[in-house]
Amino acid sequence: QVQLVESGGGLVQAGGSLTLSCTASGSLSRINTMGWYRQPPGKQRELVARINSGGSTVYADSVKGRFTISRPYARNTVYLQMNSLKPDDTAVYYCNLWPVPQQSWGQGTQVTVSS
């Protein structure tokens, strides 16, 4: 399996911005569709954005127009640019494959948005 490590989280005020990074070690293929997931406190994990090998993206309605997922060519890294953050965006953010994630999830990175 690919080892996935998320980073870039932190504490920001509402309206602020943050960029998350997902670094893959091993053999992540560019044919794999990658997704960013998040799990708010006390809630289930949900997909917020995904990107396929051709660069096509899909976003959850709750983040459309605010978040941007990207994967630079020749890089085993996936990014999530988060703008106009809201308190409801507070969650632990994870990256993984889509539609079937690896069984082994990373530690995730905490994003906290204050009002």
Side-chain angles (χ1 to χ4, degrees), residues 1-88:
Q1 294 190 96
V2 176
Q3 192 76 27
L4 300 168
V5 180
E6 302 91 347
S7 63
L11 174 64
V12 297
Q13 284 190 266
S17 298
L18 209 57
T19 300
L20 308 183
S21 299
C22 169
T23 301
S25 61
S27 57
L28 179 64
S29 174
R30 290 198 60 84
I31 70 171
N32 298 129
T33 296
M34 296 296 299
W36 277 100
Y37 303 76
R38 69 184 182 188
Q39 186 168 28
K43 298 182 179 180
Q44 294 183 330
R45 184 151 46 204
E46 64 179 354
L47 180 75
V48 298
R50 55 182 164 97
I51 184 167
N52 70 9
S53 60
S56 296
T57 58
V58 177
Y59 298 92
D61 288 342
S62 59
V63 306
K64 284 181 180 177
R66 301 188 298 118
F67 290 10
T68 303
I69 187 172
S70 63
R71 57 191 304 179
Y73 188 78
R75 292 284 185 273
N76 289 331
T77 306
V78 183
Y79 298 96
L80 185 68
Q81 182 183 337
M82 310 164 69
N83 299 322
S84 302
L85 285 162
K86 305 174 180 179
D88 285 348

Side-chain angles (χ1 to χ4, degrees), residues 91-112:
V92 179
Y93 285 71
Y94 304 86
C95 62
N96 214 325
L97 305 178
W98 185 93
V100 181
Q102 293 188 140
Q103 292 188 53
S104 180
W105 294 76
Q107 290 280 93
T109 186
Q110 176 72 50
V111 172
T112 303

